[in-house]
Amino acid sequence: MSKIRPSKGAPYARILGVGGYRPTRVVPNEVILETIDSSDEWIRSRSGIQTRHWANDEETVAAMSIEASGKAIADAGISAEQIGGVIVSTVSHFKQTPAVATEIADKLGTDKAAAFDISAGCAGFGYGLTLAKGMIVEGSAEYVLVIGVERLSDLTDLEDRATAFLFGDGAGAVVVGPSQEPAIGPTVWGSEGDKSETIKQTVAWNEYDSSTDKFPAITQEGQAVFRWAVFEMAKVAQQALDAAGISPDELDVFIPHQANERIIDSMVKTLKLPEHVTVARDVRTTGNTSAASIPLAMERLLATGEAKSGDTALVIGFGAGLVYAATVVTLP
């Protein structure tokens, strides 16, 4: 018989607060057209994107995360000292070590919170949310900060007609804490590594030669990614609804990864979501911010009143890896 005492965590976990930060510089499609042969109409029709935000030198991964996190902590009504864990999902923090989460935890004023980074691309927020839920239920932390943050402008090839218009910068954060009732459903997540070449960094850091190579950038096989996202991720989204015991009619809000508005529209159609379901379309003015896209979209929907506290939302992220994560949550 084991002598280890059982955990004394909360019975359930929930999102208690959300915050976002978008860089001050707004970049319209006209700027993108300076380096690629395309048109504003083509970009809008293929992606839905009209503008995106690009960070300046001061708007670092850490700085944007701290701004978004401060808002989330205030929204949750707690203090930074109560945060027991900081999870940062990003692919655009260029230092392999130390984790940027440790810097963020310190500058926010946490009391030596556990802090670590994860790399799960556009599914990173869902991965972080699942880890936070486990920490709270297990009892290793009472409150956990989950951050999705990217400076994808640093990894964008502005001469690549297929991707130059897609990416933006920003940070989104949520505070996850204890709950007496289920408010974060089971996560349906996974990976399809046999498709990893469809979204990738062009040159590995240890192979990059500044004298001959372009700076590493993100590239993708657009049609392959589109087909996978539309057909396979709709199945995953349905599995998340089933796992939570929620029917499409009971859903209030749909917050998919803001990759492309055509993908979003196709998923809505495939899932047969009722017209009353509010659909996040933050991609139009924020672009694809990878791990930051879901919390940023969530924050905007709540700020504009398109969604409200207590609404039931389906969230799903998917991207490089190829990886995915979907769950149903109660909005803070």
Side-chain angles (χ1 to χ4, degrees):
M1 180 182 239
S2 175
K3 297 179 181 179
I4 299 173
R5 292 179 181 177
S7 299
K8 294 183 179 180
Y12 305 104
R14 70 182 303 122
I15 299 174
L16 299 174
V18 59
Y21 180 82
R22 293 171 177 82
T24 54
R25 183 187 178 193
V26 177
V27 180
N29 288 338
E30 286 73 19
V31 171
I32 307 299
L33 296 175
E34 294 173 4
T35 52
I36 60 171
D37 180 17
S38 187
S39 69
D40 178 63
E41 189 278 330
W42 188 90
I43 293 173
R44 292 186 187 222
S45 66
R46 298 304 172 98
S47 68
I49 298 172
Q50 303 167 24
T51 61
R52 74 284 293 143
H53 295 254
W54 283 354
N56 60 33
D57 291 344
E58 287 73 40
E59 292 167 321
T60 63
V61 165
M64 292 191 293
S65 297
I66 290 165
E67 289 289 335
S69 298
K71 295 174 184 177
I73 292 168
D75 192 44
I78 65 169
S79 66
E81 291 87 350
Q82 293 174 274
I83 298 289
V86 177
I87 303 171
V88 177
S89 178
T90 185
V91 299
S92 48
H93 175 60
F94 291 160
K95 284 187 179 179
Q96 189 70 35
T97 191
V100 71
T102 59
E103 176 186 350
I104 294 165
D106 175 63
K107 290 185 176 178
L108 284 172
T110 69
D111 185 15
K112 300 179 181 179
F116 57 96
D117 298 351
I118 60 174
S119 176
C122 306
F125 176 75
Y127 275 52
L129 187 65
T130 303
L131 293 172
K133 173 185 173 183
M135 292 166 71
I136 290 158
V137 173
E138 186 269 340
S140 61
E142 185 175 12
Y143 300 100
V144 178
L145 184 64
V146 180
I147 303 165
V149 57
E150 302 292 2
R151 274 182 54 122
L152 294 182
S153 59
D154 292 336
L155 290 168
T156 299
D157 180 354
L158 293 178
E159 296 179 347
D160 180 0
R161 189 174 185 273
T163 61
F165 60 89
L166 285 175
F167 302 121
D169 303 336
V174 298
V175 171
V176 183
S179 175
Q180 294 303 307
E181 60 183 14
I184 300 175
T187 300
V188 178
W189 57 354
S191 65
E192 297 185 31
D194 61 315
K195 300 180 180 67
S196 62
E197 291 295 300
T198 57
I199 306 174
K200 63 181 181 180
Q201 183 172 310
T202 51
V203 183
W205 294 114
N206 65 326
E207 297 172 353
Y208 170 61
D209 183 342
S210 60
S211 65
T212 58
D213 297 327
K214 277 188 174 182
F215 192 79
I218 296 172
T219 186
Q220 68 176 28
E221 297 174 16
Q223 287 303 312
V225 172
F226 182 89
R227 289 192 297 270
W228 176 78
V230 169
F231 297 109
E232 297 303 319
M233 292 305 97
K235 297 175 187 177
V236 171
Q238 184 61 57
Q239 290 170 11
L241 288 172
D242 294 343
I246 298 293
S247 71
D249 287 340
E250 295 175 290
L251 200 62
D252 299 308
V253 184
F254 180 42
I255 311 177
H257 165 48
Q258 302 293 292
N260 179 308
E261 193 165 31
R262 290 174 64 207
I263 292 175
I264 294 170
D265 289 340
S266 296
M267 291 183 71
V268 169
K269 184 178 180 180
T270 303
L271 288 166
K272 299 179 181 178
L273 296 183
E275 287 190 9
H276 75 261
V277 176
T278 297
V279 179
R281 299 183 185 279
D282 194 44
V283 67
R284 293 173 178 172
T285 55
T286 307
N288 179 343
T289 55
S290 189
S293 79
I294 290 175
L296 278 173
M298 182 183 295
E299 184 261 352
R300 174 160 282 172
L301 288 175
L302 290 166
T304 60
E306 295 173 82
K308 62 183 185 300
S309 175
D311 278 353
T312 300
L314 169 63
V315 299
I316 179 169
F318 44 86
L322 293 170
V323 294
Y324 55 87
T327 188
V328 176
V329 303
T330 301
L331 294 181

